[in-house]
């Protein structure tokens, strides 16, 4: 049975909630909070891989075919990365997680609109 986006976010937030044992998780928490307050990100499913947050229209990562950017969290730095992250293309970098989320959301909306108009 597929979870709702709200259920997926609740699970992700619970798993990422402080206290944290390392700097990477401490850096990831503000990103999760910022993304959970963004309307577009809340309408999608959140996925985490190491220090990257991936938004998806699907509740099963095996179904994920969207070319959406991800956001990497590091202490003091949030980086929006082009899909796939293995390409190493950095689109935006900031010390503000909310700014990174906003930038990524704009990119995702553009990709979704292009997909709809094709």
């Amino acid at each position: 049975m597929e979870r709702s986006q709200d259920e997926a976010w609740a699970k992700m937030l619970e798993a990422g909630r402080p206290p944290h044992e390392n700097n990477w998780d401490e850096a990831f928490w503000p990103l999760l909070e910022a993304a959970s307050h963004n309307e577009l990100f809340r309408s999608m499913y959140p996925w985490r891989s190491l220090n990257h947050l991936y938004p998806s229209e699907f509740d099963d990562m095996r179904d994920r075919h969207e070319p959406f950017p991800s956001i990497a969290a590091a202490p003091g730095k949030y980086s929006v990365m082009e899909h796939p992250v293995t390409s190493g293309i950095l689109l935006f970098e900031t010390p503000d997680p909310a700014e990174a989320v906003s930038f990524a959301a704009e990119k995702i909306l553009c990709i979704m609109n292009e997909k709809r108009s094709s």
Side-chain angles (χ1 to χ4, degrees):
M1 186 166 115
E2 189 174 285
R3 303 173 295 174
S4 71
Q5 290 90 337
D6 286 338
E7 291 169 325
W9 274 103
K11 186 174 180 177
M12 179 72 71
L13 289 166
E14 185 58 35
R17 195 171 310 284
H20 300 114
E21 295 182 16
N22 62 60
N23 290 343
W24 293 101
D25 287 341
E26 285 178 19
F28 199 77
W29 176 247
L31 174 59
L32 274 181
E33 281 192 306
S36 74
H37 294 296
N38 180 280
E39 187 177 341
L40 177 66
F41 272 76
R42 273 309 278 226
S43 72
M44 303 181 88
Y45 290 93
W47 291 95
R48 180 180 184 175
S49 177
L50 301 174
N51 68 325
H52 282 260
L53 176 64
Y54 296 87
S56 178
E57 294 179 289
F58 302 97
D59 188 28
D60 187 339
M61 274 302 273
R62 293 173 295 186
D63 290 336
R64 186 178 187 276
H65 303 290
E66 313 100 332
F68 300 149
S70 68
I71 306 172
K77 181 169 59 173
Y78 297 89
S79 306
V80 180
M81 305 291 294
E82 180 79 31
H83 174 80
V85 297
T86 54
S87 69
I89 299 173
L90 178 66
L91 300 173
F92 184 71
E93 197 166 81
T94 178
D96 182 354
E99 201 173 37
V101 167
S102 180
F103 180 88
E106 287 177 27
K107 291 291 182 191
I108 292 166
L109 277 174
C110 286
I111 292 166
M112 292 171 100
N113 288 336
E114 286 174 10
K115 196 165 84 170
R116 287 183 190 125
S117 66
S118 300

